[in-house]
Amino acid sequence: MTPPLEIAPARGKLGVLLVGLGAVSTTTIAGVLAIRKGLASPIGSLTQMGTIRLGKRSEGRAPKINEFVSLASLDDIVFGGWDIFEEDSYAAARTAGVLEPAQLEPIRAELEAIKPMPAVFDQRYVKRLSGPNVKKGKNKRDLAEQVVADIREFKSRHGCDRMIMIWCGSTEVFMKESAAHATVASFEKALEESDDSIPSSMIYAYAAIREGLPFANSAPNLTADIPALLELAARTKSPLAGNDMKTGQTLIKTIIAPGLKARLIGVKGWYSTNILGNRDGEVLDDPESFKTKEESKKSALDYIFQPHLYPELYGDLTHVVRINYYPPRGDNKEGWDNIDIIGWLGYPMQLKINFLCRDSILAAPIVLDTALFLDLAKRAGMSGIQEWLSFYYKAPMHAPEVYPEHDLFIQLMKLKNTLRYMQGEELITHLGREYYD
């Protein structure tokens, strides 16, 4: 057993800054406020409801995660953020239409007190949105400095001891790594020149990481997953997580696909289509934004099935992903999957899955867990990519020399073993030979 890490205590207030106070953010904020008042249960949150096995099965030790590691209390969280619309969080939550008015009324005053700061926004990167609450600056470096000023002012005004930032904004147009992203120096030069290769999300990430804040990316954008910001995170000791929260259809894929692969059941085709009518659906109706999401959603199966190792089973898999914007559906998202599978002696079979879900309801506990775990990582002196949080993401950040792990169950094992490692507990291998030798 290794000695536990030295983890600073979770004393004082934790400022959680959310970029984009839309459906996901307001559902998260409203949920935390309701849970604090005892009006709701934190279903879906590993940090609030999950347990962790310690030692041998025969020992019967399985404390709750939030009793095992030093996580910030929900009572100590202070929410803030930026948005292109001026409405407060109560009005934004009513507009989003995820939660019922009866759920919002008991926390209305607290929600109304959370008003968005003017956002960094450029419609060239999110073509289907526009709003009036937008910062102006002489260049992108100036905009980044304004975000830094917002972070410092919020921390001072609310007396926060620690801060984190999570991008909960929209999917930006598809972008590849460029020369501007290579180093901190090239990135800052590109900021000065308002280079087109730096979208709004990177400006926020740069500001947060420069200030030493943990940063997470809940969208499939490139954002912090570039050498320049990884270099900066190493310098400022900022923990990073992302990309693209795993909520609806991809969550189901990372549950079903590992089971098929474990039993060596072949897959010839996987057709996925989604209908959704919220702001996210409107943004993804633009082909350039959809390209970013498509790359994120399609990559999981390639890594889970490993067709290079199992060419006969998965080598000619046809994988199709469609997203259709349908306004009457609102935040209710429906995912249809048709999976053509092959069994013993080449016998063809099919799986058909219809998942009707509320996207923001599934995303909110991920936002909360990411915030609390990243704060823990920062206090434990862990910086850079936090691959143990890949459990929550469709396109998890990873070291360039390894492939990303997409199997949900391996991801959960990695997460819990990281918590055991932090506390100096024995890692669980599930070998179990000691019961039979």
Side-chain angles (χ1 to χ4, degrees), residues 50-107:
T51 62
I52 182 167
R53 177 190 138 196
L54 304 177
K56 298 178 181 179
R57 280 178 284 167
S58 56
E59 294 177 26
R61 291 194 295 150
K64 290 184 69 175
I65 287 173
N66 60 11
E67 295 169 351
F68 175 61
V69 291
S70 172
L71 297 177
S73 166
L74 298 192
D75 292 331
D76 294 331
I77 294 177
V78 183
F79 286 106
W82 298 264
D83 201 87
I84 63 173
F85 301 105
E86 296 172 321
E87 56 187 7
D88 61 52
S89 291
Y90 173 77
R94 291 294 302 266
T95 299
V98 179
L99 301 176
E100 298 296 327
Q103 294 174 292
L104 296 173
E105 283 305 314
I107 51 174

Side-chain angles (χ1 to χ4, degrees), residues 235-293:
R235 189 184 301 173
T236 63
K237 306 300 182 187
S238 293
L240 306 176
N243 301 296
D244 201 7
M245 289 187 300
K246 183 160 51 182
T247 52
Q249 193 171 61
T250 308
L251 172 64
I252 298 301
K253 283 183 177 178
T254 60
I255 293 171
I256 299 296
L260 296 174
K261 197 262 191 94
R263 288 291 301 270
L264 296 178
I265 295 172
V267 181
K268 288 294 184 183
W270 197 310
Y271 183 92
S272 301
T273 189
N274 299 261
I275 56 174
L276 68 163
N278 58 12
R279 192 186 297 176
D280 192 32
E282 184 177 4
V283 168
L284 294 173
D285 205 33
D286 170 58
E288 291 186 77
S289 288
F290 171 71
K291 173 67 173 173
T292 307
K293 176 67 79 170

Side-chain angles (χ1 to χ4, degrees), residues 177-187 226-229 231:
E177 195 178 299
S178 73
H181 305 142
T183 66
V184 174
S186 65
F187 187 88
I226 57 173
L229 294 183
E231 177 191 339

